């Protein structure tokens, strides 16, 4: 097939709001489409754009921006009680029905998207063929513990800057942002400078910070939002579809944060990308697309 990937954009009504989506490839083919759930929460689809390359294997790939970010309806006036995993499960279910793919589809969630994907799979939705959990923790308690461990390995002056501004409540200070990037370049994306699609997702959060700040916090390791006590560990045995788990050797989603998925989901498979951190789809793109593509092909029927 041609190396060019054609994407068709649309908007799905979701109550009084709208969800923006893009379909790469053609719906209605022999292979079930895969829906990509981006991270954050509230980071938008840009940085996981590379997963559209799966369309080269004659599979439709559906990206969308979750409510509150990117091209979907922005709701900066909504408070913390509005933004819940249940809201985003409802939005995903709505999109599946809007696109007419209820007969069969795969879900791939990255970071927060993998947490959401697991929450979704626990409900055993009709039509779900497989789940891919990419670079996701099973518990925010584990996530914070491991983030603190990784942070302790940063240079002493970087640690001091982070702590000083967090204690002062000045996490928007330029010095704090620069110190944060030291962590990000080790454990979020080791392709430096960041590719344009990754940079755009970070810029999108600056423009539309509501969801990320309320659910997570000011950055990846200072988690003070509503998800700070989130865990799905005890509910994982309810997932009954084939599940692929992926992470990077240098990932902020460390093995300790990912292990509960492998332990809790019967028959799950875990692939660690040795030269990646949080974004194997960027850092080891060809290998990642091969692993994910083969898994989806194997679980179409």
């Amino acid at each position: 097939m041609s190396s060019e990937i054609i994407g068709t954009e649309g908007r799905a009504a979701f109550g009084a709001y709208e969800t923006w989506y893009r379909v790469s490839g053609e719906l209605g083919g022999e292979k079930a489409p895969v829906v990509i759930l981006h991270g954050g929460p509230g980071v938008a689809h840009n940085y996981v754009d590379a997963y559209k390359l799966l369309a080269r294997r004659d599979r439709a790939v559906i990206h969308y921006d979750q409510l509150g970010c990117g091209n979907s309806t922005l709701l900066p006036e909504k408070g913390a009680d509005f933004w819940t995993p249940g809201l985003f499960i409802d939005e995903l279910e709505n999109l599946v029905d809007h696109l007419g793919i209820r007969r069969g589809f795969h879900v791939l969630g990255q970071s927060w998207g993998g947490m959401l994907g697991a929450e979704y799979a626990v409900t055993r939705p009709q039509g779900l063929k497989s789940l891919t959990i990419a670079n996701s923790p099973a518990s925010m308690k584990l996530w914070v513990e491991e983030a603190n461990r990784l942070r302790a390995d940063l240079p002493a002056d970087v640690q001091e800057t982070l702590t000083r501004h967090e204690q002062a409540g000045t996490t928007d200070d330029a010095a704090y942002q620069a110190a944060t990037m030291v962590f990000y370049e080790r454990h979020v994306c080791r392709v430096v400078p960041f590719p344009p699609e990754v940079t755009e997702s970070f810029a999108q959060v600056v423009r539309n910070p509501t969801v990320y700040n309320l659910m997570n916090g000011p950055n990846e390791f200072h988690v003070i939002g509503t998800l700070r006590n989130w865990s799905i560990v005890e509910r994982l045995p309810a997932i009954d579809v084939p599940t692929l788990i992926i992470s990077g050797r240098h990932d902020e989603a460390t093995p300790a944060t990912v292990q509960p998925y492998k332990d809790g989901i019967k028959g799950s498979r875990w692939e660690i990308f040795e030269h990646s951190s949080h974004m194997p789809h960027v850092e080891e793109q060809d290998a990642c697309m091969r692993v994910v593509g083969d898994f989806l092909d194997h679980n179409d029927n």
Side-chain angles (χ1 to χ4, degrees):
M1 61 182 294
S2 169
S3 61
E4 182 181 5
I5 299 171
I6 305 299
T8 303
E9 298 183 18
R11 305 183 76 84
F14 176 49
Y17 316 122
E18 287 186 327
T19 301
W20 172 90
Y21 65 87
R22 185 191 70 206
V23 180
S24 300
E26 298 289 336
L27 290 175
E30 290 185 7
K31 296 183 178 182
V34 57
V35 185
I36 309 298
L37 280 52
H38 66 71
V43 173
H45 78 283
N46 310 77
Y47 80 99
V48 286
D49 184 67
Y51 279 114
K52 71 185 179 186
L53 296 173
L54 294 169
R56 290 180 175 167
R57 299 174 65 142
D58 298 315
R59 181 184 308 282
V61 181
I62 299 159
H63 284 80
Y64 73 104
D65 286 338
Q66 294 159 27
L67 196 65
C69 72
N71 300 310
S72 293
T73 304
L74 306 178
L75 297 163
E77 73 282 1
K78 294 293 188 182
D81 59 340
F82 180 80
W83 304 104
T84 65
L87 170 74
F88 294 109
I89 289 174
D90 291 344
E91 182 185 30
L92 176 55
E93 281 282 77
N94 181 75
L95 182 63
V96 166
D97 288 330
H98 174 85
L99 293 172
I101 60 173
R102 180 63 66 184
R103 65 190 176 280
F105 60 97
H106 304 274
V107 162
L108 182 153
Q110 197 279 339
S111 196
W112 148 253
M115 296 157 62
L116 176 60
E119 287 272 6
Y120 183 59
V122 162
T123 71
R124 299 186 173 180
Q126 179 186 348
L128 181 63
K129 287 180 171 287
S130 81
L131 172 66
T132 300
I133 299 171
N135 320 101
S136 308
S139 151
M140 290 306 283
K141 179 177 180 290
L142 288 173
W143 174 269
V144 171
E145 287 174 357
E146 288 294 283
N148 287 333
R149 183 179 64 80
L150 296 176
R151 178 170 162 161
D153 290 334
L154 296 175
D157 61 324
V158 173
Q159 294 185 54
E160 188 277 330
T161 299
L162 293 171
T163 301
R164 174 163 43 87
H165 284 287
E166 286 167 4
Q167 291 176 347
T170 52
T171 55
D172 55 352
D173 187 274
Y176 183 81
Q177 298 299 323
T180 297
M181 284 302 293
V182 177
F183 182 94
Y184 282 17
E185 289 177 2
R186 289 187 180 195
H187 301 297
V188 178
C189 182
R190 293 165 72 89
V191 177
V192 179
F194 292 165
E197 69 273 18
V198 176
T199 300
E200 175 53 31
S201 272
F202 280 114
Q204 190 284 142
V205 175
V206 173
R207 295 194 301 269
N208 306 304
T210 303
V211 182
Y212 187 78
N213 286 359
L214 288 176
M215 294 186 75
N216 185 80
N219 59 45
E220 293 293 275
F221 49 80
H222 189 44
V223 180
I224 55 176
T226 57
L227 287 176
R228 63 188 179 276
N229 297 317
W230 177 88
S231 175
I232 198 167
V233 174
E234 300 302 322
R235 294 176 286 145
L236 290 173
I239 296 177
D240 64 350
V241 294
T243 300
L244 172 67
I245 306 157
I246 65 177
S247 63
R249 180 62 66 190
H250 309 282
D251 205 329
E252 58 179 343
T254 66
T257 73
V258 175
Q259 187 69 49
Y261 287 120
K262 182 69 177 71
D263 294 340
I265 303 173
K266 185 178 180 179
S268 59
R269 175 184 148 214
W270 185 3
E271 184 93 17
I272 298 177
F273 290 87
E274 294 295 332
H275 306 291
S276 293
S277 58
H278 200 50
M279 300 187 186
H281 59 278
V282 172
E283 298 160 292
E284 294 181 74
Q285 191 170 96
D286 290 346
C288 183
M289 295 306 138
R290 182 174 64 254
V291 168
V292 174
D294 288 351
F295 170 76
L296 296 177
D297 284 351
H298 186 71
N299 290 291
D300 266 327
N301 298 316

